[in-house]
Amino acid sequence: MKLFVFLTSRVFAIFLLAISALLLTIWRGNPQYFSRAFLVVPAFVFISISICIVKRFLAVGSRRNLKFWGSVVFHIGLLVIIAAASLGPIIRFWATVVLPQGKTVNMGDKTFAVIRNIPVSGAIPDMLIKMEEYKASYADDRFPIDYATQITVLLKENDIYRQRVEAVRINAPLWLGGYQFMLDSGSFSPKYILKDKDGHVLFSQFLDLSNATSEEDKFEIPEAGMEVYTRFFPDMYKEGNLYGSRSPYPKNPAFGLRIIYKDNPFKEIWKGVLKKGEKAEFEGLSLEFADLQQVAILQVLNDPTYWGIFTGWLLIAGGLMVRYLPLEKALRWKVNEVAAEKYMREKAKDL
């Protein structure tokens, strides 16, 4: 009996909430620290709320009005959300997929697919994704209004690959075979090639660099001990010694570069602007802006708990409405009004 009293006590509830808030804070910044052993915390929350509901039933007895049922529905909604959120890490599949244009990516390819959560079964879907096209629309050539990517998905179901070609937009995901494909972002990825004086390739790679003209980004070339600072000009123009971009569309793509050695950051080896296909030559080396490729980033999710959380929030909202809105008084008034009208009609017949 004392155990039940402790499990439903306010002190225990505050303790569980504090632990839950701490764990959520840690996991948000460091998801690698997640452990399924910590699910014991929401399990105790679930048990505590369940016992509270049973105690309310036993204590109230026959005095169960609308407010009572509203409170019960509210707490059942909490239980549904706790159960769904707790089961999520066990049964959810979640991956981030980087799609260079024209390349078919397998979900098991660690270069392009980062598996963020995998169900207990350990099943990675047998799936192929190819990005056909990426489009960004702007108002007045400045303000983004729409992002969309055309993808081809081949998903294996019952030993048969099913193909679907669809557009995925921001806030308009694609649902296929229980999986949700959400467009996270898109960008242009430049390829840089560094060669020595004999033409030997020291570095050749597509890079994830900021596409904002207002931001400076950088990448490293460990093979040469260099750091390269970049600024993207998708539609480059030059006025005197100043460079800018007329629009966010890659009509005349170029990168402003500033190259230094890591062990001597105050000395610039080379500084200037390279258009696609041009080279910077310095100290017996050449760095070429060789290519520019469209890249889309998708979140691929199979989360059966989605509908549980949605249902839980509906129950919570409905329970709060029944609990705090004067529905019972309004219902009683309506019943009395109907009864009064019926009484007046019967009196009128008697007359």
Side-chain angles (χ1 to χ4, degrees):
M1 190 64 184
K2 289 183 179 180
L3 177 61
F4 285 163
V5 172
F6 172 72
L7 288 175
T8 57
S9 67
R10 187 169 299 174
V11 173
F12 185 60
I14 293 174
F15 170 76
L16 290 176
L17 289 174
I19 293 297
S20 299
L22 177 63
L23 291 176
L24 287 173
T25 302
I26 294 173
W27 293 339
R28 184 175 181 180
N30 305 276
Q32 69 273 17
Y33 293 146
F34 173 79
S35 170
R36 288 173 178 146
F38 291 125
L39 293 177
V40 68
V41 176
F44 271 112
V45 176
F46 189 94
I47 293 170
S48 178
I49 294 175
S50 299
I51 294 173
C52 284
I53 293 175
V54 173
K55 285 180 65 178
R56 284 180 62 83
F57 264 98
L58 296 177
V60 173
S62 60
R63 294 171 293 147
R64 294 171 185 164
N65 54 20
L66 275 178
K67 290 190 174 184
F68 168 80
W69 288 111
S71 177
V72 170
V73 170
F74 169 80
H75 285 89
I76 290 175
L78 283 179
L79 291 179
V80 172
I81 288 180
I82 291 169
S86 301
L87 289 172
I90 299 175
I91 63 177
R92 178 191 301 124
F93 175 82
W94 176 25
T96 299
V97 184
V98 178
L99 297 174
Q101 185 174 13
K103 180 175 179 60
T104 300
V105 174
N106 189 308
M107 194 60 69
D109 189 337
K110 295 182 180 180
T111 303
F112 297 97
V114 178
I115 308 298
R116 300 190 178 278
N117 195 86
I118 191 168
V120 173
S121 62
I124 297 177
D126 194 348
M127 181 188 302
L128 301 173
I129 310 175
K130 180 181 178 183
M131 194 263 281
E132 307 290 351
E133 184 180 19
Y134 178 82
K135 288 184 178 180
S137 301
Y138 298 85
D140 300 327
D141 281 344
R142 290 184 59 194
F143 307 105
I145 57 175
D146 187 33
Y147 297 99
T149 182
Q150 189 89 2
I151 62 171
T152 298
V153 180
L154 281 86
L155 178 62
K156 191 174 184 180
E157 295 178 312
N158 300 322
D159 296 327
I160 299 174
Y161 277 104
R162 302 187 184 278
Q163 179 172 312
R164 183 96 166 260
V165 181
E166 292 284 350
V168 183
R169 286 183 165 82
I170 294 291
N171 299 324
L174 166 68
W175 293 84
L176 178 62
Y179 291 89
Q180 186 179 19
F181 300 81
M182 298 175 289
L183 179 58
D184 185 287
S185 62
S187 63
F188 295 96
S189 175
K191 182 179 183 179
Y192 283 97
I193 300 176
L194 180 70
K195 296 181 180 179
D196 63 18
K197 62 182 179 180
D198 298 321
H200 299 134
V201 176
L202 304 178
F203 177 87
S204 177
Q205 189 174 324
F206 279 98
L207 300 164
D208 180 18
L209 297 173
S210 173
N211 284 187
T213 302
S214 59
E215 296 179 2
E216 188 177 60
D217 205 347
K218 74 171 183 176
F219 67 94
E220 295 185 7
I221 305 180
E223 295 82 354
M226 295 177 179
E227 284 186 343
V228 182
Y229 289 82
T230 70
R231 192 179 298 270
F232 184 45
F233 302 104
D235 189 10
M236 191 267 290
Y237 72 89
K238 180 181 180 183
E239 290 183 357
N241 293 324
L242 299 178
Y243 292 87
S245 182
R246 292 187 179 89
S247 73
Y249 300 102
K251 299 176 183 178
N252 186 29
F255 272 88
L257 303 181
R258 184 167 58 89
I259 307 173
I260 63 172
Y261 283 118
K262 290 187 67 176
D263 58 1
N264 189 8
F266 299 105
K267 179 184 176 182
E268 290 182 348
I269 308 170
W270 190 89
K271 182 178 181 180
V273 175
L274 290 182
K275 293 165 60 172
K276 182 180 173 182
E278 294 182 340
K279 299 178 182 179
E281 296 185 350
F282 49 89
E283 300 188 358
L285 302 172
S286 67
L287 181 66
E288 179 185 4
F289 174 17
D291 198 2
L292 188 68
Q293 190 174 59
Q294 287 183 316
V295 176
I297 299 176
L298 293 183
Q299 303 294 337
V300 181
L301 190 68
N302 183 348
D303 188 2
T305 66
Y306 170 85
W307 296 110
I309 293 175
F310 179 75
T311 302
W313 279 117
L314 287 181
L315 291 172
I316 286 175
L320 288 175
M321 289 177 61
V322 174
R323 176 69 178 84
Y324 291 106
L325 291 180
L327 299 177
E328 190 170 19
K329 186 183 292 185
L331 182 61
R332 193 179 296 119
W333 179 83
K334 187 65 177 177
V335 170
N336 291 338
E337 184 184 32
V338 171
E341 289 180 359
K342 182 179 180 182
Y343 174 76
M344 293 300 292
R345 285 197 301 268
E346 290 177 352
K347 291 293 289 182
K349 287 180 183 178
D350 293 339
L351 294 175

